[in-house]
Amino acid sequence: MPATVNREIVLASRPDEIPSESDFRAVESPIPSPSEGEVLVRTMWLSLDPYMRGRIRDAPSYSPPVQIGEVMVGGIVGEVIESRTPAFQAGDIVNGSLGWREYATSDGSDLRKVDRGLGPLSTALGVLGMPGMTAYFGLLDVGQPEPGDTVVVSAASGAVGQVVGQIARIMGCKVVGIAGTAQKVDYVINDLGFDYGINYKTEDVNSALSNLCPEGVDVYFDNVGGHITDAVMEHINTGARISVCGQISQYNLAEPEMAPRNMRLLITNQAKMEGFLVGKFAGNFEHARERMAGWIKSGTLRYREDVVEGIENAPRAFIGMMSGENFGKLLVKVSEE
Ligand SMILES: NC(=O)c1ccc[n+]([C@@H]2O[C@H](COP(=O)([O-])OP(=O)(O)OC[C@H]3O[C@@H](n4cnc5c(N)ncnc54)[C@H](OP(=O)(O)O)[C@@H]3O)[C@@H](O)[C@H]2O)c1
């Protein structure tokens, strides 16, 4: 019998610091019908990403916050099961921001057809999706690595970090990954080909970098901010580029930490620090996606996914990601492909 119920996860309350499962609520409603000009999409994969922590905070940002009672925002890959627009047909696989729910209608304006030939459908949310694009452009356009450069990346085993380090290797750089468990460090070295790894929970990042990178750091891809970034800054070379991608160490804090003021290192090293949002590069995504799909097919670029089953488990998985429980790109398998 075809499903009739649509399960959705809404924001129930705003956490001050670490979110809890009670900040989210599962609600059920009938599966919606598409109006003229719309499609009905069945979600197969939901992406869980650190930016969502910002969206449940009622503070000015680059996007408006999710309101209490509203469905959580999130990127999905799903199947069009009914279309009332010539732009899509039933059976099309699409990627868009339809939120934490099993079914959604859309006018299609924010939907992209997924090319099944590029890779497994889940990759449209990971290595060939938003995190992969972030890694590609944040490293190549913002970090501008040169062959022989030393590149350091934090949150190195995560969705963005694992791709950053591998592209840096492809570019002929020496790569050091910083991550939060021995297994993650082992993975980036032995499975992904990074040169070195540092476990920031058991090692002193500053002295580890002195040992591993006596020649200094040319590019730092910053996913985390805080004390890890302070330590890396002590090692930057003249002309270094710091690509400020994320500051996850700060996202669960009611007030950001006041870090040591080491900006003088940018002056003395004539270095550049640049923040970016991946959407800036949207016009070039298709080219990057095809290039990266080629690297995956040739075995040059690998990826790891961390899959949780069932929409009801999205809140717990999201909360866990904010403290490093995920190992690779975090995805919820919402329904069968
Ligand atoms: N600028 C953009 O357009 C853009 C786009 C996408 C993502 N981002 C940013 O990129 C970063 C990585 O995102 P992702 O999707 O790839 O997530 P991810 O790395 O797959 O998952 C988050 C990881 O962050 C690490 N982490 C959590 N708390 C930490 C802390 N206090 N200190 C250090 N590390 C911590 C954990 O790994 P460990 O176990 O290693 O600690 C956790 O697994 C995030 O900061 C995100 O906001 C930015």
Side-chain angles (χ1 to χ4, degrees), residues 7 41-46 77-79 81 101-103 121 308-311 332-337:
R7 294 188 298 164
V41 177
R42 173 179 65 89
T43 298
M44 299 185 292
W45 296 97
L46 166 68
V77 165
E79 180 187 9
I81 53 174
R101 54 182 147 206
E102 294 177 315
Y103 295 88
L121 297 184
V308 172
E309 303 254 349
I311 191 93
V332 181
K333 186 176 178 185
V334 177
S335 67
E336 293 298 327
E337 289 186 359

Side-chain angles (χ1 to χ4, degrees), residues 48-51 130-131 134 155-161 178-181 184 200-201 223-224 228 244-249 251 276-279 321-326 328-330:
L48 295 178
D49 299 274
Y51 76 82
M130 184 276 284
T134 303
S157 73
V160 175
I178 303 174
T181 68
K184 290 179 178 182
Y200 72 91
K201 290 188 179 158
N223 279 320
V224 303
I228 294 172
V244 187
C245 174
Q247 299 280 288
I248 196 167
S249 71
Y251 295 172
F276 70 95
L277 290 171
V278 63
M321 173 182 62
M322 299 305 296
S323 60
E325 281 175 23
N326 65 309
K329 170 63 201 146
L330 183 58

Side-chain angles (χ1 to χ4, degrees), residues 63-77:
S63 288
V66 177
Q67 298 301 322
I68 304 295
E70 270 184 2
V71 174
M72 281 294 297
V73 288
I76 66 103
V77 165

Side-chain angles (χ1 to χ4, degrees), residues 133 136-137 141 279-290:
M133 297 298 109
Y136 184 96
F137 292 102
D141 276 58
K280 173 180 177 181
F281 305 101
N284 295 320
F285 281 178
E286 286 316 311
H287 171 69
R289 221 186 305 276
E290 277 172 27

